[in-house]
Amino acid sequence: MSAFLYGVALQWKLDIRSKSLLITCYVVPLLFFAVMGGIFTSINPEAKYTLIQSMTVLGVSTGALMGLPPSLVEIYASDIKKVYKANGVPLYLGLVSMFLSAFIHLLIMCVIIYLVAPIAFDATPPVSLPLYFGSLAIFTAVSLSIGSILGLAVKSQAKLTMISQVIFLPSIMLSGIMFPVDLLPRIFEIVGKIFPATWGYKLLAGDVFYFGNLWPLVAILLAAAILCGFMLKRLQSE
């Protein structure tokens, strides 16, 4: 257990110095929040009621889909994987330590949005703090699980960037954070329900707990965990 905690702490320190993680988990989400927060509330004053939730969904999706996968490729598609195996280190350690480190960084970014939005844009804070941050933790874990699949499945950084963008862009555009999903064609509304961002936004924006918004995220998380376990076994045998 102590070795595992040491690995997580070490990964945390490495991630703090990582320019890639700094950009995807902090700079891009917070810059978009600073620019679009004013635009959203100026165009539509009602946006202040869901500004925190929408910017949080964007930030988490950016870090999970654009930040985590390249870091995993650096381990599992390089000689670092051989070093793990040669020294008897379980392959899952790299995935779990990066997952937890990214989870913490994304939560910090979300707390910044939560604290700054009411001051900068007169945004309305969520009604229930425990419900909001509980929902945020679940959504963040699900989003990172999708990023983990990408990082384990794709071995080329160039292909990974393209695939990540293919998943990231529609998940944001069809989630409802940019405009109401009711304005979308029916087929796009259905496609949007495939992505965690749609259910995460509904869960975060709700004033009360609704299980109908939670179970799709739980299902995605369980499926992703099983798939990651399968891919780790395949990597172990290579």
Side-chain angles (χ1 to χ4, degrees):
M1 186 64 181
S2 59
F4 172 75
L5 294 176
Y6 174 77
V8 174
L10 178 61
Q11 187 61 49
W12 163 263
K13 294 178 181 179
L14 293 174
D15 286 343
I16 290 177
R17 302 174 184 177
S18 171
K19 292 182 180 179
S20 174
L21 186 136
L22 176 66
I23 292 173
T24 55
C25 287
Y26 292 102
V27 176
V28 172
L30 294 178
L31 183 60
F32 191 91
F33 162 66
V35 175
M36 297 306 296
I39 295 176
F40 281 179
T41 52
S42 297
I43 295 177
N44 179 19
E46 298 295 319
K48 68 180 183 179
Y49 295 110
T50 57
L51 182 66
I52 294 176
Q53 294 88 337
S54 59
M55 294 296 99
T56 295
V57 169
L58 174 71
V60 170
S61 298
T62 302
L65 299 177
M66 307 296 290
L68 177 63
S71 298
L72 292 176
V73 171
E74 291 179 0
I75 291 180
Y76 294 104
S78 68
D79 291 336
I80 298 179
K81 182 185 71 173
K82 297 179 181 179
V83 175
Y84 272 47
K85 296 173 69 174
N87 290 275
V89 178
L91 284 183
Y92 68 80
L93 181 62
L95 172 62
V96 175
S97 61
M98 285 192 174
F99 186 101
L100 293 177
S101 178
F103 184 88
I104 296 172
H105 282 295
L106 289 176
L107 284 185
I108 292 174
M109 179 271 297
C110 292
V111 170
I112 294 174
I113 292 177
Y114 179 86
L115 295 176
V116 173
I119 301 173
F121 305 113
D122 194 30
T124 302
V127 175
S128 173
L129 197 63
L131 176 61
Y132 177 77
F133 280 100
S135 301
L136 174 60
I138 295 172
F139 170 61
T140 303
V142 175
S143 299
L144 287 171
S145 71
I146 301 300
S148 299
I149 293 175
L150 294 177
L152 294 175
V154 184
K155 297 183 179 180
S156 169
Q157 289 283 8
K159 291 182 179 180
L160 179 62
T161 300
M162 180 181 64
I163 295 174
S164 296
Q165 291 177 349
V166 168
I167 296 176
F168 171 76
L169 292 176
S171 69
I172 294 301
M173 297 302 295
L174 304 179
S175 64
I177 70 171
M178 306 296 291
F179 40 77
V181 293
D182 297 339
L183 300 179
L184 295 171
R186 179 61 178 169
I187 183 63
F188 288 159
E189 184 178 350
I190 295 174
V191 172
K193 292 181 180 180
I194 299 175
F195 302 103
T198 300
W199 299 106
Y201 179 62
K202 289 182 178 182
L203 196 64
L204 291 170
D207 293 334
V208 295
F209 174 75
Y210 177 55
F211 184 73
N213 295 329
L214 176 63
W215 75 260
L217 292 174
V218 175
I220 294 173
L221 181 61
L222 291 176
I226 294 172
L227 189 56
C228 285
F230 172 77
M231 287 189 289
L232 284 172
K233 287 185 178 180
R234 187 184 65 179
L235 290 169
Q236 182 71 45
S237 63
E238 290 180 355

